[in-house]
Amino acid sequence: MSALRVLVVDDEPMMLEIAAGMLSASGFKVLTAMRGEEAIEIARRDRPEVVLCDIMMPGLDGRDVCRAIKDDPDLGGIPVVLHSSLREDEVDWQSSGADAFRYKLSDLRGLPSFLRQLVEGAH
Amino acid sequence: MADDAQFVTAVPGLDRLLCGGLRPGGMYLVAGDPGAGKTVLAHQTGAHHAAGGGSILYLTALVESHQTLLSQMRSFSFFNPSIVPNAFYYASVAPALESGGLNGVRQEIARLLLSREPDLVILDGLHTLKVMADSAAEYQRLLTFLQAQCASTGVTMLVIANREAQDAADPMYTVSDGILVLETEQSNRRRIRTLEVRKLRGRQHLTGSHVMEITGDGVRVYPRVEALAANLKPPFEPPLPAHAAFGIEGVDAMIDDGFGSNSVTLIPGPSGVGKTLFGLSFLTAGAEAGENVLFLGFHETPDRLLAKADSIGLTLRPHVAAGRADIRWHAAADLAVDRIAQGVLDDVERNDIRRVVIDSMDELRHGLSRPGRTLPFLSAFTQLLRGHGTAVLLTSEASDSDGLRVTAPLPEISAAVDNIVVLRYLQAGAQLHRAMSILKVRDQAHDELLREYTISAKGITVGGRLDPTGLPDTVSYAPASGDTE
């Protein structure tokens, strides 16, 4: 079975390193981006199977990235998870069409299984 | 995770300073000189969580060997070596440091967090990592990484570091969620260990430094009573409905059948005038009324005090035997005042003690390490006791050399106590008389006469108005001078 490709998007390098490191160690093939524009470009080029994207970023924010992916006929089926240091009830994430929300300050160790289940559910 | 969730340190007294504990997912610096107790404290917290089913990862960076750490911890009652290695896992980041620098350390820690899934990480040797960093930016990156790891995985981290002169500039002081500083200070020719919560992000805590001890049971912190009292919300000032009788007929008649049941009474007087006997009478009256009572003494042993009570017919002994009355004696040389105060407060809480006699407040004062602390300490201590509904009686030896002139033990002591009963000697020719007067009773009418009293096998007997014939016509209670401390 080939490794799931996940695109992790975060403007904070440490959060990117931690999330990417954890997913990589859990068997994912990890693509990373630090800006929204870069994320959309990578998504079009490398077609990840799931996207984990921070909401608050300079330039395009996570919801803009999500809308761009969902509006693209070739990419719209890719599950997008938005995550943030804001709590779920503190930010409007649903209007972007995202499939799920993760609170950043929850236990990151549950993330690999969460993403796998999401991808399996999408197929 | 709820914002008010607590990660207890399980170090007695420390969680009280932290108003419950640490925030899960926070990174905390434990800083201090070598030998200050940092490693013991961290092991104590780790051992507690390991025993409760938690997973602990203890990372070392070129500090003591794991064998040395284990050997040291075996001597403490809190540490059961059987928790190692499954629940309490030692790992060194030194190989990663040597092969890959701080970047290698970051990768190694990330790998260990994934494989061990710890609840608590202890990183021992931050100073080593700082020294080995190629640049300040690399060190800062490591700290940011650790903090982000904690926040995103919910792992709580204690980072142990030696204190250095340039501490304030260390980015760890900015990045960490809290800072515990362990120090020692010189006091009355003794070294006293202290612990201070220097920073606790987003949480209330008891400020200032607090006495800390290390015994075979590990670290214990004694929160300063001033800080405990300041933390009372709202400031507790309960009503004073019931009266605490003295158990001395003539005295009770002078004060309307007793002082307020949670009031603070000061009895200053010269040596031998009967202060301790007044205290023992006060205690016995409480026990006779069914109250639990405590005598905190520094001069006389419990046996001597009981014999003294017997000698004037007080029935204290059976109450001690029944457990209703407790006599606690501390040698004058062992005056760890914060520990003594905490012991009294714990007992009052646990055993619902309604009367406390402190004989004398002078010893507490001598045991306090910092000048100027006596009045704040006594005010806070008695406030906490009265908050429980406990009546407090303080004795104080405060007189000139012949005992004829009584001086207030401290400037402004009057503001800290509700009642003042002055005991003194008066000289008539070659004869010394014992006399008492009630100088102050808060919110209560009282007799204002100077009365003679005698002490005999039948107890303390208060007479009528003292015959002034042949007695000096002077006020013999004077305020203390400002330099008493």
Side-chain angles (χ1 to χ4, degrees):
Chain A
M1 193 174 69
S2 62
L4 280 177
R5 287 192 314 283
V6 58
L7 170 59
V8 183
V9 190
D10 203 312
D11 59 320
E12 288 190 83
M14 280 306 158
M15 291 306 300
L16 195 62
E17 178 180 334
I18 290 167
M22 171 165 292
L23 292 169
S24 179
S26 301
F28 285 78
K29 177 173 173 47
V30 183
L31 310 165
T32 61
M34 293 183 71
R35 297 176 61 85
E37 296 81 353
E38 183 189 6
I40 295 167
E41 193 180 313
I42 292 174
R44 287 181 177 142
R45 187 183 66 218
D46 295 327
R47 302 294 171 97
E49 287 153 294
V50 61
V51 175
L52 175 70
C53 187
D54 183 27
I55 290 182
M56 292 185 290
M57 294 187 294
L60 293 181
D61 78 9
R63 292 170 297 191
D64 297 329
V65 173
C66 182
R67 283 189 199 98
I69 290 173
K70 291 296 181 184
D71 289 346
D72 188 321
D74 292 335
L75 306 177
I78 299 174
V80 177
V81 179
L82 292 178
H83 70 155
S84 177
S85 302
L86 293 168
R87 292 182 184 280
E88 187 170 2
D89 59 357
E90 293 172 333
V91 60
D92 171 25
W93 60 274
Q94 294 97 331
S95 63
S96 65
D99 298 86
F101 177 89
R102 293 274 298 185
Y103 179 43
K104 261 189 186 177
L105 304 182
S106 61
D107 193 346
L108 195 66
R109 290 178 288 203
L111 186 63
S113 59
F114 179 84
L115 293 181
R116 279 202 180 88
Q117 285 172 13
L118 194 67
V119 172
E120 284 167 13
H123 290 296
Chain B
M1 192 176 293
D3 286 338
D4 58 355
Q6 307 280 15
F7 186 91
V8 298
T9 65
V11 173
L14 179 54
D15 289 318
R16 194 147 190 204
L17 293 192
L18 299 167
C19 295
L22 305 171
R23 182 174 54 76
M27 180 172 77
Y28 298 92
L29 174 65
V30 182
D33 298 328
K38 308 180 293 293
T39 306
V40 179
L41 185 151
H43 272 89
Q44 201 168 336
T45 299
H48 169 81
H49 287 277
S55 171
I56 314 303
L57 177 61
Y58 197 107
L59 301 172
T60 56
L62 295 176
V63 289
E64 293 115 308
S65 70
H66 299 161
Q67 189 180 343
T68 305
L69 286 170
L70 253 175
S71 165
Q72 289 166 355
M73 292 307 130
R74 277 178 204 280
S75 63
F76 291 102
S77 62
F78 64 76
F79 196 80
N80 180 349
S82 69
I83 59 177
V84 181
N86 291 338
F88 199 110
Y89 192 83
Y90 288 102
S92 172
V93 297
L97 179 63
E98 284 174 15
S99 62
L102 260 53
N103 189 39
V105 170
R106 291 213 313 263
Q107 290 173 4
E108 179 68 356
I109 291 176
R111 188 188 68 77
L112 284 163
L113 287 176
L114 267 178
S115 63
R116 302 297 312 175
E117 296 197 345
D119 303 288
L120 171 69
V121 173
I122 299 163
L123 174 59
D124 192 350
L126 182 68
H127 41 284
T128 305
L129 299 177
K130 186 177 180 181
V131 168
M132 299 288 276
D134 287 336
S135 66
E138 191 186 38
Y139 176 64
Q140 170 95 44
R141 205 172 298 130
L142 172 75
L143 299 179
T144 311
F145 166 81
L146 293 174
Q147 206 255 353
Q149 275 286 2
C150 290
S152 58
T153 59
V155 172
T156 305
M157 184 177 288
L158 298 178
V159 180
I160 296 174
N162 286 335
R163 288 194 73 203
E164 296 168 15
Q166 70 277 21
D167 269 353
D170 191 319
M172 183 63 185
Y173 276 63
T174 310
V175 173
S176 64
D177 294 295
I179 300 168
L180 310 182
V181 177
L182 282 59
E183 291 180 309
T184 59
E185 61 182 55
Q186 189 79 28
S187 168
N188 298 337
R189 296 182 188 171
R190 289 179 299 149
R191 297 297 298 175
I192 293 178
R193 294 179 189 274
T194 62
L195 186 150
E196 179 178 2
V197 181
R198 196 68 59 86
K199 168 186 174 184
L200 197 62
R201 189 172 275 159
R203 294 211 162 186
Q204 191 184 19
H205 64 280
L206 301 190
T207 57
S209 71
H210 307 265
V211 170
M212 177 189 120
E213 287 184 342
I214 302 177
T215 67
D217 292 328
V219 172
R220 186 182 183 98
V221 182
Y222 299 97
R224 272 179 17 265
V225 295
E226 297 95 312
L228 291 173
N231 208 39
L232 283 178
K233 285 188 177 175
F236 195 70
E237 192 67 32
L240 314 168
H243 284 174
F246 240 101
I248 303 170
E249 196 176 326
V251 176
D252 287 332
M254 292 171 75
I255 50 175
D256 195 15
D257 292 331
F259 294 123
S261 60
N262 60 351
S263 63
V264 181
T265 302
L266 171 68
I267 300 190
S271 178
V273 79
K275 300 183 297 296
T276 302
L277 290 176
F278 268 73
L280 290 170
S281 298
F282 182 70
L283 214 65
T284 306
E288 288 282 307
E291 298 171 351
N292 291 331
V293 298
L294 171 68
F295 189 99
L296 179 64
F298 301 96
H299 298 293
E300 295 162 293
T301 62
D303 284 343
R304 285 192 61 180
L305 285 166
L306 283 176
K308 207 165 188 170
D310 293 341
S311 73
I312 61 166
L314 293 174
T315 55
L316 184 60
R317 191 178 290 273
H319 291 298
V320 171
R324 173 161 289 151
D326 186 15
I327 298 179
R328 189 173 303 172
W329 175 69
H330 290 274
D334 176 30
L335 283 176
V337 173
D338 292 279
R339 186 185 65 210
I340 291 170
Q342 190 60 58
V344 170
L345 291 170
D346 288 347
D347 260 17
V348 164
E349 183 82 27
R350 191 168 45 238
N351 300 321
D352 191 24
I353 288 169
R354 292 304 171 134
R355 294 190 186 203
V356 173
V357 172
I358 299 173
D359 185 32
S360 71
M361 61 165 267
D362 308 321
E363 272 63 38
L364 291 179
R365 180 176 150 199
H366 295 146
L368 290 167
S369 56
R370 295 187 197 100
R373 198 186 157 197
T374 307
L375 196 60
F377 170 84
L378 280 174
S379 298
F381 189 29
T382 53
Q383 188 187 348
L384 290 166
L385 289 170
R386 65 187 301 169
H388 186 79
T390 301
V392 184
L393 189 149
L394 304 163
T395 68
S396 173
E397 184 151 337
S399 69
D400 58 13
S401 57
D402 61 10
L404 297 177
R405 180 182 165 87
V406 179
T407 309
L410 283 173
E412 300 172 10
I413 185 71
S414 178
V417 301
D418 301 299
N419 321 304
I420 300 176
V421 177
V422 179
L423 305 184
R424 70 190 65 157
Y425 292 112
L426 292 177
Q427 189 173 0
Q431 182 67 44
L432 280 179
H433 298 264
R434 287 187 173 93
M436 64 171 290
S437 56
I438 297 178
L439 214 67
K440 169 188 174 182
V441 181
R442 199 187 295 277
D443 302 330
Q444 203 174 315
H446 63 89
D447 182 302
E448 293 178 343
L449 290 180
L450 185 66
R451 292 178 185 270
E452 181 169 13
Y453 67 93
T454 58
I455 299 171
S456 70
K458 292 179 184 171
I460 298 172
T461 306
V462 179
R465 177 184 182 138
L466 200 68
D467 179 2
T469 308
L471 293 176
D473 187 23
T474 57
V475 174
S476 55
Y477 181 78
S481 61
D483 60 354
T484 304
E485 281 255 60

